Amino acid sequence: MTTRTRTKPELLAPAGNLEKLKFAIHYGADAVYIGGQQFGLRSNAGNFSYDEMREGVAFANKYNAKVYVAANIIAHNENLEGLHEFFKELYEIGISGVIVADPALIQASREAAPDLEVHISTQASVANWKTAEFWKNEGLPRVVLAREVSVEEIRKIKEKVDIEIEAFIHGAMCISYSGRCVLSNHMSARDANRGGCAQSCRWKYDLFEDGTDGTVAVSDESDEQYTMSSQDLSMVEHLPDLIEAGVDSLKIEGRMKSIHYVATVVNVYRKIIDTYFEDPENYQIQQEWIDEIWKAAQRSLTSGFYYDEPTEKDQLFGRPNRIPKYDFAGLVLDYDEETQMATIQQRNNFGVGDEVEFFGPNFYHFKQTITAIWDENDEPIERAKHAMMITKVKVDQPVEKFNMMRKGK
């Protein structure tokens, strides 16, 4: 394979709160995107106060990472108040850029903080090079492409327009066109385009048929019924194609996902990117990377629109596939080399006899069986039953702070 670019793309991770921000960066993200307490599309995520943003930016700076803020609502008149103060505060905090869809917010950002980078959100549905050129001429340095764009279309956009391209590589897919959906508004009076999406498409529905004998259900009630739900996007097996097409920022979806999910997915893509750039011509996907991504998967996986138009095989119908489930069981707080004892904060019930897996940044992994547990008073216990309790466990290999322990369900 001949590389067209030797510049590593940015690995961009979701951060729904301050803890997730720190784990995403610690596990290898070059940048994270967060939401403020206004103007974003994930109102149910933890979101960040200004003070939390300051702490997040300070942490990111230690690792030479960037922090972007998603302010990508489609604004109504009542949403316009406070825009200038918001963008001015973001710039003063040190945010690297904002992700925006609405021209009113773009204008407000430019007026309030002219030096704050503005990236056009996927909500704007940029799907062709002329639209990318429009935003380039408007002075925007980056577009986040619509998820309906193919690899070939990305290549053409990049050839035609000198603009940074951000594209999704992993996470949930909207069944509607780039999020342009009002199902949530209709079903639950929550505006999907102003941060309130209830994911009505992922609800379970029965299918009915009108006939002369009345309305009859034609679905099997014993099955878990999915009607419109999409499989999740995963480009683990195809990442070099996006790199070679010229994508500048590889984006993971999931500001509402757990720290286990964020750490696992970031860890895999960091390994893939680094391995590819070490020797592009001889790069080969490793099965262990694919296996690892399934430990975070919540649904079946698809490559979305990148190669072909999705079919029914890329959606979830009827009973969902059985995917191995893993619990985030513990967070390593400390390790004593002499005693080989790890101090672990419990995050899910675990006990003596359980087979667990420890993992950390740089794709560090090992499995072992828990042989003994002590509580914070050094009393032996059989199980760590209480949420967030501090325990000590003898480990087979060295671990570090922020390593994680998982176990299969």
Side-chain angles (χ1 to χ4, degrees), residues 148-180:
E148 294 77 19
V149 176
S150 71
V151 172
E152 284 302 315
E153 288 172 320
I154 291 174
R155 186 174 287 111
K156 185 165 186 178
I157 292 169
K158 197 65 181 177
E159 288 172 352
K160 293 278 190 179
V161 187
D162 181 19
I163 193 169
E164 289 185 8
I165 286 178
E166 185 177 305
F168 282 92
I169 57 170
H170 199 92
M173 295 276 282
C174 184
I175 201 69
S176 182
Y177 195 96
S178 277
R180 297 186 176 194

PDB file of all heavy atoms in Angstrom, residues 148-180:
ATOM      1  N   GLU A 148     -23.122   9.786   6.080  1.00  0.00           N
ATOM      2  CA  GLU A 148     -23.572   9.087   4.867  1.00  0.00           C
ATOM      3  C   GLU A 148     -22.546   9.161   3.734  1.00  0.00           C
ATOM      4  O   GLU A 148     -22.825   8.756   2.609  1.00  0.00           O
ATOM      5  CB  GLU A 148     -24.899   9.695   4.394  1.00  0.00           C
ATOM      6  CG  GLU A 148     -26.066   9.467   5.350  1.00  0.00           C
ATOM      7  CD  GLU A 148     -26.056  10.363   6.574  1.00  0.00           C
ATOM      8  OE1 GLU A 148     -25.362  11.413   6.553  1.00  0.00           O
ATOM      9  OE2 GLU A 148     -26.716  10.024   7.564  1.00  0.00           O
ATOM     10  N   VAL A 149     -21.351   9.664   3.995  1.00  0.00           N
ATOM     11  CA  VAL A 149     -20.324   9.864   2.969  1.00  0.00           C
ATOM     12  C   VAL A 149     -19.449   8.622   2.859  1.00  0.00           C
ATOM     13  O   VAL A 149     -19.093   8.000   3.866  1.00  0.00           O
ATOM     14  CB  VAL A 149     -19.467  11.104   3.316  1.00  0.00           C
ATOM     15  CG1 VAL A 149     -18.338  11.284   2.321  1.00  0.00           C
ATOM     16  CG2 VAL A 149     -20.348  12.343   3.351  1.00  0.00           C
ATOM     17  N   SER A 150     -19.087   8.260   1.629  1.00  0.00           N
ATOM     18  CA  SER A 150     -18.254   7.082   1.388  1.00  0.00           C
ATOM     19  C   SER A 150     -16.773   7.441   1.411  1.00  0.00           C
ATOM     20  O   SER A 150     -16.400   8.623   1.353  1.00  0.00           O
ATOM     21  CB  SER A 150     -18.600   6.461   0.031  1.00  0.00           C
ATOM     22  OG  SER A 150     -18.149   7.302  -1.020  1.00  0.00           O
ATOM     23  N   VAL A 151     -15.930   6.413   1.454  1.00  0.00           N
ATOM     24  CA  VAL A 151     -14.483   6.626   1.411  1.00  0.00           C
ATOM     25  C   VAL A 151     -14.096   7.331   0.111  1.00  0.00           C
ATOM     26  O   VAL A 151     -13.269   8.257   0.116  1.00  0.00           O
ATOM     27  CB  VAL A 151     -13.729   5.287   1.552  1.00  0.00           C
ATOM     28  CG1 VAL A 151     -12.231   5.483   1.318  1.00  0.00           C
ATOM     29  CG2 VAL A 151     -13.972   4.670   2.926  1.00  0.00           C
ATOM     30  N   GLU A 152     -14.683   6.917  -0.996  1.00  0.00           N
ATOM     31  CA  GLU A 152     -14.367   7.539  -2.288  1.00  0.00           C
ATOM     32  C   GLU A 152     -14.778   9.002  -2.307  1.00  0.00           C
ATOM     33  O   GLU A 152     -14.074   9.856  -2.866  1.00  0.00           O
ATOM     34  CB  GLU A 152     -15.061   6.774  -3.424  1.00  0.00           C
ATOM     35  CG  GLU A 152     -14.394   5.455  -3.779  1.00  0.00           C
ATOM     36  CD  GLU A 152     -12.935   5.644  -4.181  1.00  0.00           C
ATOM     37  OE1 GLU A 152     -12.631   6.572  -4.965  1.00  0.00           O
ATOM     38  OE2 GLU A 152     -12.084   4.868  -3.696  1.00  0.00           O
ATOM     39  N   GLU A 153     -15.908   9.319  -1.718  1.00  0.00           N
ATOM     40  CA  GLU A 153     -16.343  10.714  -1.659  1.00  0.00           C
ATOM     41  C   GLU A 153     -15.409  11.540  -0.777  1.00  0.00           C
ATOM     42  O   GLU A 153     -15.122  12.701  -1.091  1.00  0.00           O
ATOM     43  CB  GLU A 153     -17.781  10.781  -1.139  1.00  0.00           C
ATOM     44  CG  GLU A 153     -18.798  10.293  -2.166  1.00  0.00           C
ATOM     45  CD  GLU A 153     -20.199  10.176  -1.603  1.00  0.00           C
ATOM     46  OE1 GLU A 153     -20.356   9.734  -0.445  1.00  0.00           O
ATOM     47  OE2 GLU A 153     -21.162  10.520  -2.326  1.00  0.00           O
ATOM     48  N   ILE A 154     -14.926  10.947   0.299  1.00  0.00           N
ATOM     49  CA  ILE A 154     -13.958  11.656   1.142  1.00  0.00           C
ATOM     50  C   ILE A 154     -12.703  11.974   0.339  1.00  0.00           C
ATOM     51  O   ILE A 154     -12.166  13.082   0.396  1.00  0.00           O
ATOM     52  CB  ILE A 154     -13.594  10.813   2.379  1.00  0.00           C
ATOM     53  CG1 ILE A 154     -14.793  10.711   3.312  1.00  0.00           C
ATOM     54  CG2 ILE A 154     -12.402  11.419   3.115  1.00  0.00           C
ATOM     55  CD1 ILE A 154     -14.577   9.773   4.493  1.00  0.00           C
ATOM     56  N   ARG A 155     -12.238  10.997  -0.403  1.00  0.00           N
ATOM     57  CA  ARG A 155     -11.026  11.197  -1.201  1.00  0.00           C
ATOM     58  C   ARG A 155     -11.209  12.354  -2.183  1.00  0.00           C
ATOM     59  O   ARG A 155     -10.324  13.199  -2.343  1.00  0.00           O
ATOM     60  CB  ARG A 155     -10.690   9.897  -1.944  1.00  0.00           C
ATOM     61  CG  ARG A 155      -9.366   9.938  -2.687  1.00  0.00           C
ATOM     62  CD  ARG A 155      -9.009   8.590  -3.276  1.00  0.00           C
ATOM     63  NE  ARG A 155      -8.590   7.655  -2.242  1.00  0.00           N
ATOM     64  CZ  ARG A 155      -9.284   6.587  -1.856  1.00  0.00           C
ATOM     65  NH1 ARG A 155     -10.458   6.329  -2.411  1.00  0.00           N
ATOM     66  NH2 ARG A 155      -8.826   5.791  -0.907  1.00  0.00           N
ATOM     67  N   LYS A 156     -12.368  12.419  -2.817  1.00  0.00           N
ATOM     68  CA  LYS A 156     -12.614  13.488  -3.788  1.00  0.00           C
ATOM     69  C   LYS A 156     -12.713  14.845  -3.095  1.00  0.00           C
ATOM     70  O   LYS A 156     -12.185  15.849  -3.599  1.00  0.00           O
ATOM     71  CB  LYS A 156     -13.894  13.219  -4.573  1.00  0.00           C
ATOM     72  CG  LYS A 156     -14.137  14.249  -5.676  1.00  0.00           C
ATOM     73  CD  LYS A 156     -15.176  13.795  -6.670  1.00  0.00           C
ATOM     74  CE  LYS A 156     -15.275  14.781  -7.828  1.00  0.00           C
ATOM     75  NZ  LYS A 156     -16.246  14.347  -8.855  1.00  0.00           N
ATOM     76  N   ILE A 157     -13.401  14.903  -1.943  1.00  0.00           N
ATOM     77  CA  ILE A 157     -13.495  16.167  -1.201  1.00  0.00           C
ATOM     78  C   ILE A 157     -12.103  16.671  -0.861  1.00  0.00           C
ATOM     79  O   ILE A 157     -11.783  17.851  -1.038  1.00  0.00           O
ATOM     80  CB  ILE A 157     -14.332  15.978   0.080  1.00  0.00           C
ATOM     81  CG1 ILE A 157     -15.803  15.712  -0.263  1.00  0.00           C
ATOM     82  CG2 ILE A 157     -14.222  17.213   0.985  1.00  0.00           C
ATOM     83  CD1 ILE A 157     -16.646  15.268   0.913  1.00  0.00           C
ATOM     84  N   LYS A 158     -11.254  15.760  -0.401  1.00  0.00           N
ATOM     85  CA  LYS A 158      -9.911  16.141   0.015  1.00  0.00           C
ATOM     86  C   LYS A 158      -9.070  16.597  -1.173  1.00  0.00           C
ATOM     87  O   LYS A 158      -8.236  17.506  -1.068  1.00  0.00           O
ATOM     88  CB  LYS A 158      -9.239  14.964   0.728  1.00  0.00           C
ATOM     89  CG  LYS A 158      -8.033  15.344   1.559  1.00  0.00           C
ATOM     90  CD  LYS A 158      -8.395  16.243   2.734  1.00  0.00           C
ATOM     91  CE  LYS A 158      -7.162  16.623   3.536  1.00  0.00           C
ATOM     92  NZ  LYS A 158      -7.453  17.543   4.618  1.00  0.00           N
ATOM     93  N   GLU A 159      -9.271  15.981  -2.331  1.00  0.00           N
ATOM     94  CA  GLU A 159      -8.534  16.382  -3.536  1.00  0.00           C
ATOM     95  C   GLU A 159      -8.970  17.752  -4.034  1.00  0.00           C
ATOM     96  O   GLU A 159      -8.159  18.527  -4.543  1.00  0.00           O
ATOM     97  CB  GLU A 159      -8.747  15.336  -4.636  1.00  0.00           C
ATOM     98  CG  GLU A 159      -8.025  14.012  -4.384  1.00  0.00           C
ATOM     99  CD  GLU A 159      -8.403  12.943  -5.390  1.00  0.00           C
ATOM    100  OE1 GLU A 159      -9.353  13.185  -6.198  1.00  0.00           O
ATOM    101  OE2 GLU A 159      -7.790  11.865  -5.374  1.00  0.00           O
ATOM    102  N   LYS A 160     -10.244  18.073  -3.851  1.00  0.00           N
ATOM    103  CA  LYS A 160     -10.801  19.310  -4.397  1.00  0.00           C
ATOM    104  C   LYS A 160     -10.640  20.508  -3.456  1.00  0.00           C
ATOM    105  O   LYS A 160     -10.551  21.650  -3.916  1.00  0.00           O
ATOM    106  CB  LYS A 160     -12.293  19.119  -4.701  1.00  0.00           C
ATOM    107  CG  LYS A 160     -12.594  18.158  -5.826  1.00  0.00           C
ATOM    108  CD  LYS A 160     -12.449  18.827  -7.176  1.00  0.00           C
ATOM    109  CE  LYS A 160     -12.980  17.956  -8.299  1.00  0.00           C
ATOM    110  NZ  LYS A 160     -12.854  18.639  -9.613  1.00  0.00           N
ATOM    111  N   VAL A 161     -10.624  20.244  -2.145  1.00  0.00           N
ATOM    112  CA  VAL A 161     -10.687  21.337  -1.173  1.00  0.00           C
ATOM    113  C   VAL A 161      -9.600  21.149  -0.125  1.00  0.00           C
ATOM    114  O   VAL A 161      -9.471  20.076   0.463  1.00  0.00           O
ATOM    115  CB  VAL A 161     -12.064  21.406  -0.479  1.00  0.00           C
ATOM    116  CG1 VAL A 161     -12.149  22.656   0.392  1.00  0.00           C
ATOM    117  CG2 VAL A 161     -13.190  21.383  -1.495  1.00  0.00           C
ATOM    118  N   ASP A 162      -8.846  22.213   0.110  1.00  0.00           N
ATOM    119  CA  ASP A 162      -7.814  22.188   1.148  1.00  0.00           C
ATOM    120  C   ASP A 162      -8.446  22.565   2.477  1.00  0.00           C
ATOM    121  O   ASP A 162      -8.391  23.714   2.928  1.00  0.00           O
ATOM    122  CB  ASP A 162      -6.676  23.151   0.791  1.00  0.00           C
ATOM    123  CG  ASP A 162      -5.564  23.138   1.826  1.00  0.00           C
ATOM    124  OD1 ASP A 162      -5.492  22.162   2.593  1.00  0.00           O
ATOM    125  OD2 ASP A 162      -4.778  24.109   1.873  1.00  0.00           O
ATOM    126  N   ILE A 163      -9.080  21.582   3.097  1.00  0.00           N
ATOM    127  CA  ILE A 163      -9.768  21.796   4.361  1.00  0.00           C
ATOM    128  C   ILE A 163      -9.597  20.547   5.211  1.00  0.00           C
ATOM    129  O   ILE A 163      -9.500  19.430   4.677  1.00  0.00           O
ATOM    130  CB  ILE A 163     -11.271  22.107   4.139  1.00  0.00           C
ATOM    131  CG1 ILE A 163     -11.918  22.649   5.428  1.00  0.00           C
ATOM    132  CG2 ILE A 163     -12.016  20.894   3.614  1.00  0.00           C
ATOM    133  CD1 ILE A 163     -13.317  23.231   5.212  1.00  0.00           C
ATOM    134  N   GLU A 164      -9.524  20.710   6.531  1.00  0.00           N
ATOM    135  CA  GLU A 164      -9.430  19.549   7.408  1.00  0.00           C
ATOM    136  C   GLU A 164     -10.757  18.796   7.410  1.00  0.00           C
ATOM    137  O   GLU A 164     -11.830  19.396   7.442  1.00  0.00           O
ATOM    138  CB  GLU A 164      -9.086  19.976   8.834  1.00  0.00           C
ATOM    139  CG  GLU A 164      -7.670  20.465   9.007  1.00  0.00           C
ATOM    140  CD  GLU A 164      -7.357  20.768  10.471  1.00  0.00           C
ATOM    141  OE1 GLU A 164      -8.189  20.454  11.347  1.00  0.00           O
ATOM    142  OE2 GLU A 164      -6.275  21.325  10.729  1.00  0.00           O
ATOM    143  N   ILE A 165     -10.646  17.462   7.386  1.00  0.00           N
ATOM    144  CA  ILE A 165     -11.830  16.613   7.397  1.00  0.00           C
ATOM    145  C   ILE A 165     -11.836  15.773   8.671  1.00  0.00           C
ATOM    146  O   ILE A 165     -10.846  15.127   9.009  1.00  0.00           O
ATOM    147  CB  ILE A 165     -11.859  15.699   6.156  1.00  0.00           C
ATOM    148  CG1 ILE A 165     -12.237  16.514   4.923  1.00  0.00           C
ATOM    149  CG2 ILE A 165     -12.831  14.536   6.356  1.00  0.00           C
ATOM    150  CD1 ILE A 165     -12.245  15.715   3.650  1.00  0.00           C
ATOM    151  N   GLU A 166     -12.957  15.825   9.362  1.00  0.00           N
ATOM    152  CA  GLU A 166     -13.188  14.994  10.541  1.00  0.00           C
ATOM    153  C   GLU A 166     -14.278  13.992  10.192  1.00  0.00           C
ATOM    154  O   GLU A 166     -15.307  14.365   9.631  1.00  0.00           O
ATOM    155  CB  GLU A 166     -13.617  15.890  11.705  1.00  0.00           C
ATOM    156  CG  GLU A 166     -13.777  15.211  13.039  1.00  0.00           C
ATOM    157  CD  GLU A 166     -14.125  16.215  14.126  1.00  0.00           C
ATOM    158  OE1 GLU A 166     -13.367  17.197  14.300  1.00  0.00           O
ATOM    159  OE2 GLU A 166     -15.166  16.028  14.790  1.00  0.00           O
ATOM    160  N   ALA A 167     -14.044  12.714  10.496  1.00  0.00           N
ATOM    161  CA  ALA A 167     -15.010  11.678  10.138  1.00  0.00           C
ATOM    162  C   ALA A 167     -15.143  10.674  11.268  1.00  0.00           C
ATOM    163  O   ALA A 167     -14.169  10.348  11.948  1.00  0.00           O
ATOM    164  CB  ALA A 167     -14.576  10.959   8.857  1.00  0.00           C
ATOM    165  N   PHE A 168     -16.352  10.188  11.462  1.00  0.00           N
ATOM    166  CA  PHE A 168     -16.612   9.215  12.515  1.00  0.00           C
ATOM    167  C   PHE A 168     -16.036   7.852  12.144  1.00  0.00           C
ATOM    168  O   PHE A 168     -16.138   7.411  10.988  1.00  0.00           O
ATOM    169  CB  PHE A 168     -18.116   9.085  12.763  1.00  0.00           C
ATOM    170  CG  PHE A 168     -18.683  10.211  13.575  1.00  0.00           C
ATOM    171  CD1 PHE A 168     -19.201  11.338  12.950  1.00  0.00           C
ATOM    172  CD2 PHE A 168     -18.693  10.152  14.958  1.00  0.00           C
ATOM    173  CE1 PHE A 168     -19.729  12.384  13.698  1.00  0.00           C
ATOM    174  CE2 PHE A 168     -19.214  11.194  15.712  1.00  0.00           C
ATOM    175  CZ  PHE A 168     -19.737  12.309  15.088  1.00  0.00           C
ATOM    176  N   ILE A 169     -15.440   7.188  13.138  1.00  0.00           N
ATOM    177  CA  ILE A 169     -14.890   5.850  12.912  1.00  0.00           C
ATOM    178  C   ILE A 169     -15.542   4.796  13.801  1.00  0.00           C
ATOM    179  O   ILE A 169     -15.415   3.599  13.526  1.00  0.00           O
ATOM    180  CB  ILE A 169     -13.367   5.815  13.139  1.00  0.00           C
ATOM    181  CG1 ILE A 169     -13.013   6.296  14.558  1.00  0.00           C
ATOM    182  CG2 ILE A 169     -12.647   6.627  12.079  1.00  0.00           C
ATOM    183  CD1 ILE A 169     -11.557   6.073  14.942  1.00  0.00           C
ATOM    184  N   HIS A 170     -16.240   5.218  14.853  1.00  0.00           N
ATOM    185  CA  HIS A 170     -16.779   4.213  15.772  1.00  0.00           C
ATOM    186  C   HIS A 170     -17.903   4.810  16.602  1.00  0.00           C
ATOM    187  O   HIS A 170     -17.838   5.964  17.017  1.00  0.00           O
ATOM    188  CB  HIS A 170     -15.686   3.717  16.727  1.00  0.00           C
ATOM    189  CG  HIS A 170     -16.029   2.410  17.375  1.00  0.00           C
ATOM    190  ND1 HIS A 170     -15.657   1.192  16.837  1.00  0.00           N
ATOM    191  CD2 HIS A 170     -16.727   2.117  18.501  1.00  0.00           C
ATOM    192  CE1 HIS A 170     -16.107   0.218  17.609  1.00  0.00           C
ATOM    193  NE2 HIS A 170     -16.768   0.754  18.616  1.00  0.00           N
ATOM    194  N   GLY A 171     -18.957   3.999  16.816  1.00  0.00           N
ATOM    195  CA  GLY A 171     -20.024   4.407  17.725  1.00  0.00           C
ATOM    196  C   GLY A 171     -21.406   4.300  17.122  1.00  0.00           C
ATOM    197  O   GLY A 171     -21.595   3.770  16.022  1.00  0.00           O
ATOM    198  N   ALA A 172     -22.371   4.814  17.836  1.00  0.00           N
ATOM    199  CA  ALA A 172     -23.767   4.704  17.447  1.00  0.00           C
ATOM    200  C   ALA A 172     -24.047   5.478  16.159  1.00  0.00           C
ATOM    201  O   ALA A 172     -23.448   6.525  15.904  1.00  0.00           O
ATOM    202  CB  ALA A 172     -24.663   5.219  18.570  1.00  0.00           C
ATOM    203  N   MET A 173     -24.946   4.933  15.360  1.00  0.00           N
ATOM    204  CA  MET A 173     -25.368   5.565  14.109  1.00  0.00           C
ATOM    205  C   MET A 173     -26.827   5.975  14.223  1.00  0.00           C
ATOM    206  O   MET A 173     -27.671   5.213  14.701  1.00  0.00           O
ATOM    207  CB  MET A 173     -25.216   4.583  12.942  1.00  0.00           C
ATOM    208  CG  MET A 173     -23.793   4.181  12.637  1.00  0.00           C
ATOM    209  SD  MET A 173     -22.970   5.387  11.566  1.00  0.00           S
ATOM    210  CE  MET A 173     -23.671   4.950   9.974  1.00  0.00           C
ATOM    211  N   CYS A 174     -27.121   7.175  13.760  1.00  0.00           N
ATOM    212  CA  CYS A 174     -28.504   7.649  13.733  1.00  0.00           C
ATOM    213  C   CYS A 174     -29.222   7.030  12.540  1.00  0.00           C
ATOM    214  O   CYS A 174     -28.676   6.960  11.442  1.00  0.00           O
ATOM    215  CB  CYS A 174     -28.522   9.167  13.632  1.00  0.00           C
ATOM    216  SG  CYS A 174     -30.178   9.873  13.693  1.00  0.00           S
ATOM    217  N   ILE A 175     -30.451   6.562  12.757  1.00  0.00           N
ATOM    218  CA  ILE A 175     -31.204   5.937  11.674  1.00  0.00           C
ATOM    219  C   ILE A 175     -31.684   6.989  10.672  1.00  0.00           C
ATOM    220  O   ILE A 175     -31.963   6.696   9.527  1.00  0.00           O
ATOM    221  CB  ILE A 175     -32.404   5.141  12.231  1.00  0.00           C
ATOM    222  CG1 ILE A 175     -32.871   4.090  11.226  1.00  0.00           C
ATOM    223  CG2 ILE A 175     -33.539   6.051  12.630  1.00  0.00           C
ATOM    224  CD1 ILE A 175     -31.902   2.955  11.030  1.00  0.00           C
ATOM    225  N   SER A 176     -31.738   8.249  11.118  1.00  0.00           N
ATOM    226  CA  SER A 176     -32.142   9.338  10.244  1.00  0.00           C
ATOM    227  C   SER A 176     -30.933   9.899   9.522  1.00  0.00           C
ATOM    228  O   SER A 176     -29.794   9.516   9.787  1.00  0.00           O
ATOM    229  CB  SER A 176     -32.827  10.432  11.068  1.00  0.00           C
ATOM    230  OG  SER A 176     -33.269  11.481  10.248  1.00  0.00           O
ATOM    231  N   TYR A 177     -31.152  10.830   8.606  1.00  0.00           N
ATOM    232  CA  TYR A 177     -30.065  11.400   7.823  1.00  0.00           C
ATOM    233  C   TYR A 177     -29.294  12.395   8.659  1.00  0.00           C
ATOM    234  O   TYR A 177     -29.761  13.503   8.916  1.00  0.00           O
ATOM    235  CB  TYR A 177     -30.613  12.069   6.556  1.00  0.00           C
ATOM    236  CG  TYR A 177     -29.551  12.359   5.527  1.00  0.00           C
ATOM    237  CD1 TYR A 177     -29.321  11.479   4.483  1.00  0.00           C
ATOM    238  CD2 TYR A 177     -28.742  13.488   5.631  1.00  0.00           C
ATOM    239  CE1 TYR A 177     -28.333  11.724   3.551  1.00  0.00           C
ATOM    240  CE2 TYR A 177     -27.759  13.743   4.716  1.00  0.00           C
ATOM    241  CZ  TYR A 177     -27.557  12.861   3.664  1.00  0.00           C
ATOM    242  OH  TYR A 177     -26.561  13.104   2.758  1.00  0.00           O
ATOM    243  N   SER A 178     -28.108  12.000   9.085  1.00  0.00           N
ATOM    244  CA  SER A 178     -27.236  12.874   9.881  1.00  0.00           C
ATOM    245  C   SER A 178     -27.968  13.563  11.025  1.00  0.00           C
ATOM    246  O   SER A 178     -27.780  14.740  11.290  1.00  0.00           O
ATOM    247  CB  SER A 178     -26.585  13.927   8.970  1.00  0.00           C
ATOM    248  OG  SER A 178     -25.459  13.387   8.346  1.00  0.00           O
ATOM    249  N   GLY A 179     -28.840  12.827  11.681  1.00  0.00           N
ATOM    250  CA  GLY A 179     -29.491  13.372  12.868  1.00  0.00           C
ATOM    251  C   GLY A 179     -30.690  14.249  12.598  1.00  0.00           C
ATOM    252  O   GLY A 179     -31.249  14.823  13.527  1.00  0.00           O
ATOM    253  N   ARG A 180     -31.102  14.370  11.342  1.00  0.00           N
ATOM    254  CA  ARG A 180     -32.252  15.230  11.037  1.00  0.00           C
ATOM    255  C   ARG A 180     -33.542  14.447  11.270  1.00  0.00           C
ATOM    256  O   ARG A 180     -34.141  13.891  10.357  1.00  0.00           O
ATOM    257  CB  ARG A 180     -32.166  15.732   9.602  1.00  0.00           C
ATOM    258  CG  ARG A 180     -30.940  16.604   9.368  1.00  0.00           C
ATOM    259  CD  ARG A 180     -30.940  17.221   7.996  1.00  0.00           C
ATOM    260  NE  ARG A 180     -29.815  18.110   7.830  1.00  0.00           N
ATOM    261  CZ  ARG A 180     -29.710  18.984   6.833  1.00  0.00           C
ATOM    262  NH1 ARG A 180     -30.665  19.089   5.937  1.00  0.00           N
ATOM    263  NH2 ARG A 180     -28.650  19.762   6.742  1.00  0.00           N
TER     264      ARG A 180
END
